[in-house]
Amino acid sequence: MGTEPRFADYLSMKILLPPALLYFSNAILFISLFTRLPAIQLSLGVDKAVLGLALLSAPVGTFLALPIAGRITDRLTPRLTAVLTLPVCALLSPLLTIAPLWGFLICFFLFGFFRTIFDVAANMISTGIEQRTGKKVLSRSHGFWSVGLLAGSVCSGFLAEKAVTPFLQQIMAAAFTLLACLLVWVVTPKDAAPASPAAGKRSAYVIPDRTILLICLMVFGLCIVEGAVYDWGIFFLREQLRADPAIAGILYAAFTIGMGLTRLAGDKLRDGFGATVLVRGSAISVAAGIMLLVGSSSFFMAGSALFLIGCGVALAFPLAVSTTIALGKGRPSENLAALSLTLMLSTIGVPPLLGLIAEHVSLIGTFVVLLPCVLLSFLMAPVADGRRTMMPFLRH
């Protein structure tokens, strides 16, 4: 009897290994870049407002990638798509640290383009595992993204303290990502034969239906807070709290610890509490974290605040994906592309707006303005279970 649980654990780990590696290495690549944004800003010679506008080039790449992301994934299979597109992002990332402003715009555009296709493929791998095996792995897969953020932010703070250049750091992150993709290719079973193109003409963009629009409204506030922490969290720690690079890296890690622990437990939480309760709890955690962060007078308070925010934003996208797969009509890959497109369009103006607030008001104001959006997520929580919302004019 003791052998059966051990075999089940082994089988579960084997099933989870490919998406875990993909999400983990993607996070290492991502966070290594974003924790060095202050140094990259300095090398570009621009202020925060201009940097916020420059960061908009990746969403433009996302916008252009989404019409074809689902189709490429269906045509090549999720496995092949993932191990082709993530290495492209890895090779682009060192260039982002040394390019002039025009080069940064081009490379960041391409980074957003290929990373979007990868995201659709990676989510399809996880949801495919759930459908084939009956085991929930989506939240845990995203949990390894958070584990990667933790490892990457701590390493990034250490390397910054040791004066390792952002270029060399991204070379190391890219090399790790390439090795991870090679391992995924070796250990992942082959997918079914690629899907044949559907007969007849299809619209360039998959138009999101009412269900997907409501799902996007549900997670909108949580998603933009997550993005704000990625874009401006390290600036807040360095400039508002005067943390040195090593301390900033450790404090930033509190955000990723909260996110990682919540995501690793997310599949059990979904079974135990239901999606609506999780969305509401997430919104409360994020709101409490923001208020604690903007009032922080010590590193401990800031770390606790970031931990709460990490816990709160952790399940936003996994819940959006699982709700889309459960309630969406048509091809899952195209529904996921429509979800990503709608979220991207709804948040596309946020980085430059927050950059303007950070530059001309304060970094505190950058986070305070997000609180009404978090309230929206709280009110829209019933959408996660296909039920009516607390807002009559948006009832599902």
Side-chain angles (χ1 to χ4, degrees):
M1 293 182 62
T3 306
E4 291 182 4
R6 286 198 296 270
F7 178 75
D9 290 342
Y10 168 76
L11 186 60
S12 179
M13 290 176 60
K14 184 178 179 181
I15 289 171
L16 188 60
L17 180 60
L21 278 171
L22 289 172
Y23 281 100
F24 182 83
S25 57
N26 182 27
I28 291 288
L29 195 67
F30 177 87
I31 203 64
S32 295
L33 181 66
F34 275 75
T35 51
R36 302 306 295 269
L37 276 181
I40 294 172
Q41 178 198 358
L42 186 63
S43 68
L44 291 173
V46 299
D47 61 23
K48 294 183 184 67
V50 173
L51 179 63
L53 288 171
L55 293 175
L56 200 58
S57 59
V60 173
T62 294
F63 180 77
L64 294 177
L66 283 170
I68 60 174
R71 297 176 195 182
I72 288 176
T73 301
D74 285 340
R75 187 65 181 156
L76 297 181
T77 73
R79 170 179 176 253
L80 180 57
T81 303
V83 299
L84 286 178
T85 52
L86 188 57
V88 174
C89 296
L91 296 174
L92 284 167
S93 67
L95 300 178
L96 287 164
T97 65
I98 58 172
L101 184 59
W102 63 267
F104 181 92
L105 290 170
I106 293 172
C107 290
F108 208 46
F109 163 81
L110 293 173
F111 186 85
F113 182 90
F114 287 103
R115 193 165 173 267
T116 298
I117 300 173
F118 166 80
D119 283 341
V120 171
N123 279 297
M124 286 300 297
I125 288 173
S126 295
T127 55
I129 290 171
E130 290 194 344
Q131 291 169 351
R132 288 193 306 271
T133 67
K135 294 182 178 293
K136 285 187 169 66
V137 299
L138 182 62
S139 183
R140 280 182 291 167
S141 298
H142 283 267
F144 279 92
W145 156 270
S146 304
V147 173
L149 292 183
L150 170 61
S153 58
V154 172
C155 291
S156 186
F158 173 79
L159 294 173
E161 184 71 16
K162 297 298 182 181
V164 175
T165 65
F167 176 75
L168 181 56
Q169 181 174 326
Q170 286 307 120
I171 288 288
M172 291 188 286
F176 175 83
T177 301
L178 292 173
L179 289 173
C181 287
L182 179 61
L183 182 57
V184 168
W185 178 256
V186 171
V187 302
T188 307
K190 288 186 178 181
D191 291 310
S196 300
K201 286 188 174 181
R202 295 160 69 188
S203 172
Y205 283 88
V206 180
I207 305 300
D209 60 16
R210 179 181 174 81
T211 298
I212 290 176
L213 290 174
L214 290 172
I215 293 169
C216 289
L217 282 174
M218 177 186 74
V219 298
F220 172 76
L222 305 179
C223 288
I224 63 171
V225 172
E226 182 180 357
V229 174
Y230 292 145
D231 291 348
W232 306 109
I234 202 73
F235 286 96
F236 186 93
L237 296 172
R238 294 291 304 276
E239 298 180 19
Q240 197 68 31
L241 296 181
R242 306 297 179 188
D244 62 38
I247 294 295
I250 293 171
L251 292 177
Y252 198 92
F255 169 74
T256 63
I257 290 171
M259 182 185 289
L261 291 176
T262 305
R263 281 183 170 171
L264 289 173
D267 295 317
K268 291 184 179 179
L269 292 174
R270 281 165 59 194
D271 286 335
F273 295 97
T276 297
V277 172
L278 290 183
V279 174
R280 286 178 177 161
S282 296
I284 292 170
S285 181
V286 169
I290 289 175
M291 290 186 287
L292 183 60
L293 180 66
V294 299
S296 293
S297 57
S298 68
F299 292 154
F300 177 79
M301 286 180 64
S304 300
L306 288 170
F307 178 83
L308 282 175
I309 295 173
C311 291
V313 303
L315 299 180
F317 195 70
L319 284 171
V321 170
S322 61
T323 305
T324 298
I325 295 294
L327 303 180
K329 300 174 182 177
R331 290 173 176 255
S333 61
E334 294 192 348
N335 286 333
L336 289 179
L339 173 72
S340 298
L341 172 64
T342 309
L343 276 175
M344 187 275 296
L345 289 176
S346 65
T347 60
I348 194 168
V350 174
L353 174 62
L354 295 182
L356 285 170
I357 294 172
E359 185 65 30
H360 300 293
V361 181
S362 69
L363 285 163
I364 290 177
T366 299
F367 289 93
V368 170
V369 298
L370 302 176
L371 287 172
C373 301
V374 177
L375 176 62
L376 175 65
S377 289
F378 180 89
L379 296 175
M380 295 297 296
V383 171
D385 287 320
R387 297 188 286 113
R388 292 184 175 186
T389 72
M390 296 171 65
M391 304 173 71
F393 57 91
L394 286 173
R395 281 182 179 170
H396 188 193

